[in-house]
Amino acid sequence: MRLVKIGLASVNTTVGAFARNVDKALDVARRMAADEVTVGVFQEQLIGGYPPEDLVQWQGFVDHQWPQLERFARETASLPTLFLLGVAVNHQGLRYNCAALVAGGRILGLVPKEKLPTYNIFYEGRTFSRGAPGMREEFRGIPFGDYLFRFDFGLIAPEVCEDIWSADVPMRRRTYSGAELVVNLSASPFRVGHGDTRREVLATRASDHQCTIAYSNALGSNDGIIFDGGGFIYQNGKPVLEEPRFQEGFAAAVVDLDRTLRLRAENTTWRSDRESWLREGGELVPTIECSSAFTSRREKLRYPVPAHRSFFLPGPDTRRSPREALCEDILDALSLGVGDYFEKNRAFKVIGIALSGGRDSLLTLLIAHRYAKRVRPDNPGSLLRAFYMPSRYSSDATRDAAETIARDLGVPFQVVPIEEAFERELAIARTMLAGGEVTPITEQNVQARLRAQRMWNWSNSSGGLFLQTGNMSERAVGYTTTGGDLMGALAVIANVPKTVVMYLLDYLLEKTGYEGIRKVLAKPAGPELAHNQVGEEELMPFPILDACFYLFAGEKMVPAEMLIALEAMFPEVERARLQGYVEKFTRLFLQSIYKWVQAPLSLHIGNLDLDRERALQLPVVTSSDWTRG
């Protein structure tokens, strides 16, 4: 048998912080070596951080990564471990996103990424150049291109992220050329439910190509894109290891690569497919011999037996319920997003929230508190500030709810009335209108803008991170104020639908029992900018609103198709009413694009986010004529 211990690392990197990123990686590398790891796998773009966006166009941004890769090689020279890590290189004027192999103090090879995603949040085709099948070059005297690497324990095929997400994967020709261990360095962003997709894809690839796959994902949030870390090992389709997500460190497991070759030999379909590929002119990928450059130490490795000591019986079921998995993943992702934005910018000392006593600001506060509890477990509330700014329309119930949750969490709470300022602004508006009437919607917006202005003033003087609290559903239809509640430095739940906001709060109430959550949920959702405002009465029921958003923006349906889908989904609602909701949603959505493109940077948790740069690239100036056919 050929036992190999594979370690999967999660390192929270910052774009451009080359030395700090490598320092973190070196710490993990040393701990891996102490744990007898044979192959240590880091993430895509470990040195430069991800996503670098157009910084890749600066030659210095790329060139200055190489000395840090050399430093990593020098400082791991004495370690008996092969490491793979992500780096950008500038080769013949082109930038490549590469996997680097490092062992024994040397950089042994570079394999460039072939599949460059240019969809959703990705723009790699704009900045990087593609590796290609048959690429045989050198970079600084180091093999650079489409290569395999042989060590005393086996044959490795490095690859980068998207290379595993295509049906036409590079691992096909590489495993047909003998690769046993495919190592994928990834930066796959968090998306709700995407963990299951990763498992399915990796299991399928490992089974289809009869290989062992080691997959290590990036960790941390940069520019609102959240990476949940973690990683997987699959051997010929069988799960071996799943690394914990949302935390730095590493996890490791032992595999027997002889088992991979035995199963490959037994699989007649795989063998016949390989034979057909060769007959059709498939070109074998060349192998770089690395055995003389690095000798592994595997004497202490033990055969990977099941923890429950049975090859036939299932192990204990540690899976979470679907509800817990959904809620905890979203909360972990958003709190990581808040924390990394707060820490990596190095501009903030405290986090502030305009706490209205409503659902959205409540959830935002709970997410920020979740982060604060991680970094200040003894006194998380000391990192936060909550401000309640009532006007004549604010109820005693919302004030009580806001004050109660602040007390529950130990967050300093201030009441800062805006009534006098509200009166002054109304008077000034009447003067500017030369006797004209201030509209009711203007009265509402004045209140929201006063609150935002005061939060910005506080932020400027305190070094505070002002969190914007609006949800995706209301932002999609313009139920928000430009210059008011749309403002902030970071939009925490801007891509969380209103129905999900309420679902998360129900979950958190059950989990924590906070009286402040109960008090908020006891009152119908509404902004309290006018008498007796209820959001669903002014808009439509939130489940129908969210369904409209999904069907229109996600499924790209026109209103007539949306109505058919809604009739199937809500048979209890009469057709005429549903049709009215569809028409209202479509009109409001297309009219409100100009608003949400002005919103602050938002945290991404799905494929259907309201972000003109990274998700829905919609024109601001448009007509709805096309929706009517």
Side-chain angles (χ1 to χ4, degrees):
M1 63 183 66
R2 281 181 297 136
L3 301 184
V4 176
K5 191 169 190 178
I6 303 169
L8 307 176
S10 288
V11 177
N12 192 334
T13 61
T14 301
V15 174
F18 301 164
R20 281 185 279 142
N21 294 342
V22 170
D23 286 344
K24 286 186 171 187
L26 285 168
D27 176 67
V28 176
R30 294 180 183 111
R31 287 190 281 134
M32 281 184 172
D35 195 39
E36 309 293 336
V37 167
T38 315
V39 180
V41 186
F42 289 91
Q43 66 227 43
E44 177 181 11
Q45 289 297 294
L46 171 82
I47 295 177
Y50 193 87
E53 306 288 10
D54 280 3
L55 285 175
V56 175
Q57 296 177 0
W58 272 258
Q59 185 167 327
F61 182 86
V62 177
D63 288 348
H64 294 165
Q65 294 185 38
W66 191 258
Q68 291 299 326
L69 180 62
E70 292 179 320
R71 178 168 76 92
F72 182 91
R74 286 195 307 272
E75 297 192 26
T76 58
S78 63
L79 304 181
T81 305
L82 163 68
F83 297 103
L84 293 96
L85 59 156
V87 64
V89 300
N90 179 15
H91 179 56
Q92 297 177 350
L94 303 178
R95 278 69 158 156
Y96 292 91
N97 182 349
C98 297
L101 293 88
V102 175
R106 293 173 53 190
I107 302 165
L108 302 176
L110 295 162
V111 177
K113 187 175 183 177
E114 294 185 13
K115 310 290 184 180
L116 298 182
T118 307
Y119 62 88
N120 199 267
I121 61 104
F122 302 105
Y123 290 94
E124 283 198 34
R126 171 186 171 91
T127 51
F128 284 112
S129 294
R130 291 173 173 81
M135 189 176 189
R136 316 274 190 267
E137 301 184 27
E138 285 191 353
F139 178 80
R140 301 184 183 226
I142 296 165
F144 174 85
D146 184 19
Y147 291 108
L148 306 182
F149 299 84
R150 187 182 304 280
F151 296 87
D152 60 352
F153 55 81
L155 195 58
I156 285 185
E159 63 177 31
V160 182
C161 198
E162 191 78 5
D163 288 352
I164 210 168
W165 288 96
S166 166
D168 181 26
V169 287
M171 78 170 68
R172 179 170 181 257
R173 67 178 183 273
R174 290 169 180 167
T175 53
Y176 284 165
S177 301
E180 304 160 280
L181 174 59
V182 175
V183 178
N184 185 281
L185 284 58
S186 186
S188 178
F190 171 82
R191 282 162 282 180
V192 174
H194 197 54
D196 289 337
T197 303
R198 290 181 192 143
R199 294 183 190 96
E200 292 166 5
V201 168
L202 293 170
T204 300
R205 298 286 183 264
S207 178
D208 287 348
H209 302 285
Q210 288 300 302
C211 62
T212 298
I213 292 177
Y215 170 98
S216 185
N217 192 32
L219 173 68
S221 179
N222 292 307
D223 274 17
I225 302 174
I226 300 166
F227 299 93
D228 45 339
F232 303 89
I233 298 174
Y234 280 86
Q235 186 170 40
N236 300 66
K238 177 184 176 181
V240 175
L241 174 69
E242 180 167 340
E243 183 191 8
R245 296 179 301 144
F246 298 110
Q247 62 186 57
E248 289 193 283
F250 78 95
V254 175
V255 298
D256 180 6
L257 289 181
D258 276 348
R259 181 175 185 271
T260 288
L261 291 193
R262 176 179 63 77
L263 293 173
R264 180 176 291 180
E266 292 176 2
N267 191 302
T268 56
T269 300
W270 185 88
R271 296 204 323 264
S272 62
D273 287 346
R274 180 181 184 275
E275 291 164 2
S276 298
W277 178 77
L278 288 170
R279 282 196 305 270
E280 293 165 4
E283 183 180 352
L284 294 175
V285 178
T287 296
I288 304 296
E289 183 60 55
C290 300
S291 298
S292 61
F294 171 76
T295 302
S296 64
R297 300 178 197 166
R298 295 173 285 126
E299 303 82 6
K300 296 181 181 179
L301 301 184
R302 301 182 64 185
Y303 189 79
V305 297
H308 63 295
R309 298 193 292 184
S310 173
F311 292 106
F312 299 100
L313 299 176
D317 188 356
T318 58
R319 292 173 297 179
R320 300 175 295 181
S321 71
R323 183 169 191 253
E324 181 184 13
L326 173 72
C327 293
E328 290 294 330
D329 279 359
I330 293 175
L331 294 168
D332 279 342
L334 294 176
S335 63
L336 176 63
V338 169
D340 275 12
Y341 191 89
F342 178 76
E343 293 178 12
K344 292 179 180 180
N345 272 295
R346 298 184 166 188
F348 307 113
K349 301 174 183 176
V350 66
I351 297 172
I353 296 168
L355 192 61
S356 69
R359 288 158 174 77
D360 296 337
S361 62
L362 167 62
L363 180 59
T364 303
L365 177 63
L366 291 167
I367 290 165
H369 185 267
R370 190 182 185 95
Y371 157 68
K373 194 172 182 179
R374 176 166 58 83
V375 295
R376 295 187 183 178
D378 295 332
N379 189 13
S382 64
L383 193 59
L384 309 174
R385 300 291 184 273
F387 302 94
Y388 180 76
M389 292 177 273
S391 73
R392 68 190 66 169
Y393 302 114
S394 303
S395 68
D396 292 339
T398 53
R399 172 171 176 161
D400 181 44
E403 193 167 7
T404 301
I405 191 60
R407 185 168 57 248
D408 288 339
L409 301 176
V411 175
F413 177 79
Q414 283 185 258
V415 178
V416 187
I418 63 169
E419 184 61 31
E420 289 185 11
F422 179 34
E423 283 286 2
R424 287 196 301 271
E425 289 301 319
L426 290 179
I428 293 169
R430 294 187 189 102
T431 300
M432 296 175 71
L433 290 166
E437 288 298 319
V438 177
T439 64
I441 193 66
T442 303
E443 288 194 11
Q444 295 184 38
N445 290 341
V446 166
Q447 297 166 71
R449 290 183 180 122
L450 282 170
R451 289 167 179 148
Q453 183 63 54
R454 290 187 175 184
M455 288 302 299
W456 279 127
N457 293 340
W458 166 83
S459 172
N460 291 159
S461 297
S462 68
L465 170 58
F466 168 23
L467 297 182
Q468 196 264 350
T469 63
N471 69 76
M472 183 167 71
S473 307
E474 293 172 357
R475 186 165 73 152
V477 292
Y479 197 61
T480 184
T481 301
T482 305
D485 56 311
L486 193 63
M487 295 295 100
L490 179 68
V492 180
I493 62 170
N495 293 309
V496 181
K498 188 71 170 187
T499 51
V500 179
V501 169
M502 295 188 288
Y503 191 83
L504 290 170
L505 290 174
D506 285 339
Y507 171 79
L508 287 169
L509 177 59
E510 291 178 16
K511 185 177 179 181
T512 67
Y514 287 141
E515 179 66 10
I517 301 178
R518 188 193 64 76
K519 288 182 175 181
V520 170
L521 296 180
K523 187 178 184 299
E528 289 196 340
L529 299 172
H531 285 298
N532 301 318
Q533 267 189 310
V534 177
E536 289 186 301
E537 292 177 359
E538 294 192 331
L539 294 170
M540 64 188 74
F542 289 126
I544 295 178
L545 173 55
D546 284 350
C548 285
F549 178 76
Y550 179 85
L551 294 170
F552 184 73
E555 295 299 317
K556 310 298 188 289
M557 290 185 181
V558 295
E561 295 170 315
M562 294 166 62
L563 179 58
I564 294 171
L566 289 175
E567 285 183 295
M569 191 171 183
F570 302 100
E572 72 280 8
V573 182
E574 61 185 49
R575 176 184 173 86
R577 185 174 293 274
L578 287 175
Q579 184 168 2
Y581 290 149
V582 168
E583 293 172 355
K584 183 176 185 178
F585 172 84
T586 306
R587 173 174 52 82
L588 291 175
F589 181 86
L590 293 175
Q591 287 179 354
S592 300
I593 297 172
Y594 84 94
K595 278 191 174 183
W596 56 259
V597 298
Q598 300 179 58
L601 186 76
S602 58
L603 299 179
H604 290 258
I605 63 168
N607 289 320
L608 185 57
D609 292 341
L610 275 183
D611 189 325
R612 193 167 183 240
E613 291 184 358
R614 301 187 186 278
L616 285 172
Q617 298 190 1
L618 300 177
V620 174
V621 181
T622 183
S623 168
S624 63
D625 291 356
W626 64 271
T627 65
R628 295 186 286 274

